Amino acid sequence: MVGAPAGPVDKRKGHKMEMRCCGQSGIGISLYGIGAWSFGGGEDDYWGAQEQSEVERIVHAALDLGVNYFDTAELYNDGRSEESLGKALRARRDEAVIGTKILPQNCSREGVREHCEASLRRLGTDCVDIYMVHWPLHDHPTPAAFEALMQLQEEGKIRAIGVSNFDGARLREALDTGAEIAVNQLHYSLFSRAIEYDALPACVEANVGVVGYMPLLQGILTGKYRTLEEVPWYRLRTRHFSGDRKGARHGGPGAEEEIVPALEGIHAVAEELGEPMSDVALAWVAGQPGVACVLAGARDVAQLEANVRGCGLKLSAEVIGRLNALTDPVKHRLGTDLDYWESPGNSRVR
Ligand SMILES: NC(=O)c1ccc[n+]([C@@H]2O[C@H](COP(=O)([O-])OP(=O)(O)OC[C@H]3O[C@@H](n4cnc5c(N)ncnc54)[C@H](OP(=O)(O)O)[C@@H]3O)[C@@H](O)[C@H]2O)c1
């Protein structure tokens, strides 16, 4: 693995942020969306401390750059991500599209209402633009949950219904309830291509926009780590890496043997193009059919600007083909399961 310093931020400055449609919802979202998981975080949270003043700078700079999609969840920092985002957007709420998510265990008929109203309070708004079910339902029946969501939509508390981490079968089950599904938020990166087997084609067929999350594999695809040993342990817990690593719960072999040379290859392609590796990683996701939005976290304005720039980069079909060939061994090794955190036996998707 070789380090790739961030390139000049203003290279594609002045380009207009591309907007894409969320399925048939009529909601237009920016091709780059801000992942707000770190917002409202304290020392002990997954991403560590995130100052509110920095959040406000990121959110306002994003809106100024034409980024309108902001993604959070009731789960993130126990609701403090929603609070932090809501506070930052207070004066400019009308310019933003807010997506938030309800945990599947909260999706009883009554739970959907209760949890949506709690999210509205934390966000300081009277309507969530896209309200998503975070993972497929196991504890509650799908029809009742989606009927409750449609009721909230009728009441104007949510504008559109979305899902997250739903494979083709789960998506069709949700659509069969009569709900119009605007988006399916799915992990998609050069090293996380399981959605290509089934979920992505199912979304394209049903005209459901794909919001690709973790496109930088939590920083690993920016090239800022020279070896895997430099990566903070909590970013190595997915099935990409050995199940022996600290905090991993999947127990599998990982795909480190495939990932290390592929990272070298991606770095070489980026160098040849004269682009930072993070731009190439983001542009690859943005260039895939069916993708409505590339959702990456940004800890500061410099990362925001770099990510806006990356999503504006257009890769040729030839370069995309080379990147696919470089990462095919990782794709094949990791298989079809969309849950990158759990063992196949414990997958939350099936
Ligand atoms: N639906 C779901 O189940 C689900 C699951 C996970 C995430 N998500 C959503 O997806 C969003 C994005 O995922 P993520 O934040 O986990 O992963 P990510 O976007 O792949 O990585 C974000 C992290 O990478 C680093 N980074 C970002 N831009 C960079 C740049 N230009 N140069 C160098 N480093 C950069 C930052 O961390 P450092 O500066 O600390 O290195 C940042 O926090 C989340 O915020 C959340 O909204 C959804």
Side-chain angles (χ1 to χ4, degrees):
M1 293 166 72
V2 195
V9 160
D10 60 355
K11 228 171 163 185
R12 277 176 287 276
K13 209 172 179 177
H15 86 271
K16 218 167 168 292
M17 171 57 62
E18 188 178 334
M19 305 296 282
R20 293 190 182 172
C21 258
C22 292
Q24 295 160 10
S25 66
I27 299 177
I29 58 174
S30 46
L31 179 55
Y32 173 54
I34 302 270
W37 185 357
S38 65
F39 291 8
E43 289 299 339
D44 297 334
D45 292 309
Y46 186 89
W47 288 105
Q50 176 82 63
E51 291 291 329
Q52 183 62 22
S53 52
E54 192 63 58
V55 169
E56 313 246 335
R57 273 194 289 278
I58 295 166
V59 166
H60 290 272
L63 289 169
D64 292 343
L65 287 166
V67 174
N68 75 342
Y69 183 61
F70 297 87
D71 184 84
T72 181
E74 62 175 3
L75 174 73
Y76 299 161
N77 305 324
D78 287 328
R80 281 176 284 112
S81 166
E82 290 181 326
E83 279 168 4
S84 165
L85 177 63
K87 209 165 156 196
L89 280 174
R90 199 131 304 159
R92 301 179 71 175
R93 171 69 186 92
D94 294 351
E95 296 172 58
V97 172
I98 299 178
T100 192
K101 313 180 204 82
I102 178 170
L103 286 167
Q105 57 268 36
N106 298 330
C107 284
S108 64
R109 200 180 281 278
E110 313 72 48
V112 166
R113 172 172 299 277
E114 204 181 296
H115 284 262
C116 177
E117 286 173 354
S119 284
L120 287 171
R121 277 195 297 279
R122 285 190 293 267
L123 285 161
T125 186
D126 51 12
C127 176
V128 169
D129 298 292
I130 307 176
Y131 197 49
M132 290 161 278
V133 178
H134 207 143
W135 286 88
L137 299 162
H138 292 289
D139 306 332
H140 301 290
T142 298
F146 281 87
E147 277 161 27
L149 289 165
M150 285 188 273
Q151 180 65 39
L152 291 175
Q153 199 175 15
E154 254 181 63
E155 292 171 23
K157 290 190 167 157
I158 64 180
R159 274 173 78 198
I161 298 169
V163 295
S164 176
N165 302 304
F166 276 42
D167 66 8
R170 290 310 201 115
L171 179 67
R172 283 186 287 276
E173 193 189 4
L175 287 164
D176 284 346
T177 64
E180 189 178 280
I181 309 289
V183 295
N184 189 3
Q185 192 175 115
L186 296 159
H187 182 23
Y188 201 20
S189 78
L190 275 161
F191 287 151
S192 322
R193 295 175 53 197
I195 71 167
E196 292 174 358
Y197 291 106
D198 159 66
L200 183 58
C203 289
V204 171
E205 194 189 327
N207 192 13
V208 169
V210 169
V211 174
Y213 72 72
M214 262 168 71
L216 299 172
L217 201 56
Q218 304 201 333
I220 290 159
L221 276 162
T222 64
K224 66 181 165 188
Y225 304 111
R226 280 181 300 114
T227 67
L228 287 185
E229 306 325 313
E230 287 179 15
V231 181
W233 65 268
Y234 53 87
R235 300 185 188 195
L236 296 174
R237 297 178 311 145
T238 50
R239 290 192 295 107
H240 303 87
F241 310 102
S242 164
D244 293 335
R245 288 193 180 268
K246 183 179 171 185
R249 52 183 194 256
H250 59 82
E256 294 180 16
E257 270 177 32
E258 289 81 4
I259 280 177
V260 171
L263 261 177
E264 296 282 354
I266 298 165
H267 181 259
V269 171
E271 275 209 331
E272 199 184 304
L273 296 174
E275 303 289 354
M277 191 163 150
S278 59
D279 289 32
V280 172
L282 293 166
W284 179 87
V285 177
Q288 301 303 317
V291 170
C293 178
V294 182
L295 185 61
R299 302 303 300 266
D300 53 34
V301 173
Q303 288 186 359
L304 159 77
E305 291 178 341
N307 296 345
V308 166
R309 180 195 60 207
C311 288
L313 173 67
K314 301 287 175 215
L315 299 177
S316 68
E318 187 265 332
V319 169
I320 289 181
R322 278 167 66 195
L323 292 167
N324 289 349
L326 281 166
T327 57
D328 275 345
V330 181
K331 174 180 172 178
H332 296 142
R333 170 56 84 102
L334 294 178
T336 59
D337 196 337
L338 302 186
D339 191 341
Y340 281 93
W341 285 267
E342 302 288 348
S343 65
N346 286 334
S347 172
R348 290 164 287 178
V349 174
R350 286 159 214 286

